[in-house]
Amino acid sequence: MGKRFYLTTAIDYTNGSPHVGHAYEKIVADVIARAHRSLGDEVFFLTGLDEHGLKVQQAAAEAGLDPQKYCDGLAVQWKELATRLGLSIDDFIRTTEPRHKAVVAAILNRLHGAGEIYKAAYTGWYSVREETFLTEKDRNPDGTWDARWGQVVPLEEENWYFRMARHQEWLVDYLERNPSFVQPQSRRNEVLGFLRSEKLEDLCISRPASRLAWGIPLPFAPEWVTYVWFDALTNYLTVPASMGDPAATAVLGPDYQAPAPVAGTSLWPADLHVVGKDIVKFHAVYWPIMLHAAGAPLPGQVLVHGWWQKDGHKLSKTTGNVVDPIAVIDEWGLDALRYYLVRELAIGPDGNWTDEGFRSRYNAELANGLGNLLNRALNMLNKYRDGIVPAVSDELAADARTAVADTERLLRAHDLQGALAAIWTLVNRANLYVEQTQPFRLAKDPAQAGRLDVVLYNLVESCRILSVLLAPFLPSTSARIHAQLRLDEKPDRLARAAWGGLRAGHKVGAPEPLFPRKDLAPKNPR
Ligand code: MSP
């Protein structure tokens, strides 16, 4: 096995419960993971939790729990979310695991040994809430500190610094030569704009353990713990290294006790990091510089998504403006959630969740669009031909071919919204075909039997192709379509979307609704 397509999500802080924004990122990454598998790639998909740092320490203290116990409790909830979202993950990392602590220690030692880390005294201002040092540039014009910094206190302490500033020019050059490293383009411009206009400072990568105990000790100075972002970013390297991937262990140097490689472990460098717009700087500036300084090959791409709001306002537990992904799944089903999130919002801009918008897409596109098509196709085939597939014919073949080619191209470009739109051109085309050909009329006229065969074939074959195209997006719906078509092979290979796959004589099953219509069903039937 060659190098696998290795993709990751951001790892979530264990300081609260998941909301739909977290679910969105994981679903986007899952669709990409499944799309690559469908295109024939070997894939490794990683997600997990970011458990150290002040935010988590404070949340644990508020809950009156020891931080580890607190994280262990939340980890159960977050892993449950990964299961309920149907994530096809290959591993789930928690930054409190020994395998991660070993890799953080190793990369710190490596950079320290290479002269990239030094100790210096710091006197200045510190935001307790944001866990970050502030400079005079961060003050409001009137000299006060913005409310977002929370409590700002004067601080004098010794810390350890990573020589980030010296790599600025290299990074600008790297970004210029690799236009796809940060996507979409608008985010790339933002990063380049920032790097061209501001001078990078060295990065403080330690916190005195006396002030913040909840972290990974610096291996060469255990009175300090590692800055949470340095710790968290390293998770992407932890998993390949702890599986013995030679390209990952090479980054860590001879001190790292590299395990024997697990068969088929060729992961590093990561191909894709899917992250939200608020953490671009960490992924597109700190992370590539950390890797470059350690002599490591860089990831292929940082793909940046926007943020969800609800009804035009920020998601917030305090105001109750939240969408609980589990509640949506319980009421509408997982695939309805996956569909809405990916179809409504392109990867990049911000999105706005409305319950009405959700309901409307569900009814129009899932129930009346896709669900109705399958229902009609199978119903008529059962009613008029005992469920037996007629001879292959190709009236919709060209439309299907266009949808397949567009979907493939858009999936390769990670334009998931565009791919769903392309798939729905076939859904709509096939539904229109029913209106145009009127098979229920043809069925009444024995002289039209041949024509009816043609129509029925084109409808069921379109449904089969749709199940293949939909596999990355709506895996369980895709499997259900296949089951109703009584097909044995799996729909999860794009190569199976070639026209003519359904053979004459094959017997399909009975239709079962994919998406029960919600507007018609009374909520509390009496
Ligand atoms: N722990 C860091 C990430 C470390 S990655 C090495 C973190 N955690 S987080 O829990 O605050 O956010 C996790 C991801 O969820 C981020 O990519 C963030 O952008 C995303 N989202 C948080 N709220 C969101 C929305 N409202 N909408 C979409 N994504 C959102 O940052």
Side-chain angles (χ1 to χ4, degrees):
M1 199 192 293
K3 172 157 173 4
R4 290 162 79 168
F5 183 88
Y6 173 33
L7 82 161
T8 69
T9 69
I11 50 173
D12 302 302
Y13 285 126
T14 42
N15 64 345
S17 309
H19 60 53
V20 78
H22 303 116
Y24 170 66
E25 175 175 286
K26 277 57 191 176
I27 289 171
V28 162
D30 185 62
V31 173
I32 295 175
R34 288 174 188 266
H36 276 270
R37 290 192 193 101
S38 180
L39 289 163
D41 289 341
E42 293 289 340
V43 171
F44 193 94
F45 175 22
L46 175 68
T47 189
L49 292 172
D50 184 357
E51 305 193 359
H52 288 126
L54 198 66
K55 280 187 196 190
V56 176
Q57 183 175 285
Q58 282 173 342
E62 273 165 38
L65 289 173
D66 151 77
Q68 187 64 62
K69 283 223 172 67
Y70 174 77
C71 291
D72 290 347
L74 277 174
V76 173
Q77 196 184 335
W78 283 85
K79 281 188 175 172
E80 169 70 9
L81 176 75
T83 307
R84 294 295 308 273
L85 294 177
L87 303 186
S88 56
I89 47 174
D90 297 282
D91 203 342
F92 187 101
I93 173 115
R94 298 180 54 192
T95 55
T96 49
E97 289 174 66
R99 60 175 174 166
H100 178 66
K101 294 178 186 171
V103 172
V104 171
I107 193 168
L108 283 165
N109 272 335
R110 182 81 198 256
L111 292 172
H112 187 231
E116 295 279 352
I117 290 176
Y118 64 94
K119 186 161 84 167
Y122 172 85
T123 325
W125 300 97
Y126 182 75
S127 152
V128 178
R129 180 196 291 164
E130 291 303 318
E131 212 179 311
T132 185
F133 297 100
L134 302 176
T135 66
E136 290 304 319
K137 273 190 294 185
D138 297 309
R139 278 190 198 273
N140 292 329
D142 66 359
T144 59
W145 299 106
D146 201 85
R148 79 187 156 111
W149 301 120
Q151 189 189 10
V152 177
V153 294
L155 204 74
E156 196 184 331
E157 67 185 28
E158 281 198 306
N159 266 311
W160 294 83
Y161 291 82
F162 169 49
R163 291 190 192 281
M164 199 158 70
R166 58 152 79 149
H167 300 291
Q168 179 160 7
E169 231 170 90
W170 163 81
L171 183 60
V172 172
D173 185 55
Y174 186 83
L175 289 171
E176 278 169 351
R177 280 186 295 109
N178 295 274
S180 60
F181 181 68
V182 181
Q183 281 297 311
Q185 194 67 17
S186 54
R187 297 294 175 196
R188 171 174 187 263
N189 295 343
E190 206 177 283
V191 174
L192 268 172
F194 161 80
L195 283 172
R196 285 186 186 127
S197 64
E198 300 210 14
K199 211 176 137 351
L200 275 186
E201 297 193 1
D202 286 346
L203 181 68
C204 180
I205 52 142
S206 71
R207 302 290 182 262
S210 55
R211 183 157 66 73
L212 175 71
W214 188 232
I216 301 174
L218 294 185
F220 45 82
E223 316 86 272
W224 283 267
V225 300
T226 312
Y227 170 47
V228 65
W229 269 102
F230 194 98
D231 164 348
L233 288 163
T234 304
N235 92 86
Y236 304 131
L237 200 53
T238 294
V239 170
S242 62
M243 290 170 75
D245 174 6
T249 55
V251 180
L252 301 173
D255 281 355
Y256 179 68
Q257 302 268 312
V262 175
T265 306
S266 174
L267 302 184
W268 195 260
D271 293 276
L272 186 68
H273 296 308
V274 180
V275 302
K277 63 176 185 177
D278 56 322
I279 57 175
V280 177
K281 189 172 74 179
F282 301 101
H283 286 84
V285 178
Y286 295 10
W287 181 228
I289 292 183
M290 281 164 66
L291 290 168
H292 173 67
L298 295 202
Q301 184 172 99
V302 178
L303 182 62
V304 186
H305 64 77
W307 268 37
W308 280 89
Q309 299 192 327
K310 179 172 190 256
D311 300 327
H313 299 285
K314 192 175 171 340
L315 300 177
S316 149
K317 263 203 211 114
T318 17
T319 63
N321 197 45
V322 284
V323 180
D324 172 6
I326 301 286
V328 176
I329 294 169
D330 287 342
E331 186 176 354
W332 298 86
L334 169 61
D335 281 358
L337 174 70
R338 291 174 64 110
Y339 180 77
Y340 177 73
L341 289 174
V342 175
R343 180 65 185 84
E344 180 69 19
L345 183 60
I347 299 175
D350 287 341
N352 186 32
W353 176 292
T354 65
D355 289 346
E356 200 188 306
F358 182 94
R359 217 172 287 131
S360 143
R361 281 201 186 277
Y362 180 94
N363 284 322
E365 292 157 35
L366 294 178
N368 293 340
L370 178 64
N372 194 30
L373 174 65
L374 180 73
N375 197 273
R376 295 204 279 186
L378 288 184
N379 239 332
M380 292 191 289
L381 189 58
N382 274 294
K383 198 158 148 198
Y384 305 138
R385 295 290 180 269
D386 279 334
I388 309 285
V389 174
V392 178
S393 68
D394 58 4
E395 276 188 343
L396 293 181
D399 298 278
R401 259 180 224 121
T402 305
V404 173
D406 288 349
T407 305
E408 173 164 355
R409 177 177 50 79
L410 293 159
L411 283 179
R412 287 191 190 281
H414 301 154
D415 178 353
L416 308 185
Q417 184 191 44
L420 273 182
I423 295 169
W424 251 258
T425 59
L426 183 58
V427 173
N428 296 335
R429 176 69 190 97
N431 271 324
L432 181 68
Y433 182 70
V434 177
E435 308 311 322
Q436 289 169 337
T437 56
Q438 307 240 328
F440 28 87
R441 285 232 178 116
L442 298 175
K444 288 185 189 140
D445 179 358
Q448 296 285 358
R451 178 72 192 135
L452 181 59
D453 279 344
V454 166
V455 172
L456 292 174
Y457 184 86
N458 280 277
L459 287 176
V460 275
E461 175 63 353
S462 295
C463 290
R464 187 192 68 81
I465 288 176
L466 285 167
S467 73
V468 176
L469 297 180
L470 285 169
F473 299 91
L474 314 179
S476 87
T477 301
S478 154
R480 286 169 69 202
I481 298 176
H482 247 226
Q484 293 183 36
L485 290 170
R486 294 262 163 82
L487 293 169
D488 294 331
E489 97 270 17
K490 289 195 167 164
D492 59 0
R493 286 287 173 274
L494 202 65
R496 303 220 166 103
W499 187 265
L502 269 181
R503 295 282 163 214
H506 173 78
K507 190 168 167 45
V508 302
E512 277 169 40
L514 296 174
F515 300 98
R517 277 193 200 111
K518 295 276 193 173
D519 49 351
L520 302 178
K523 253 212 150 154
N524 299 304
R526 276 172 222 198

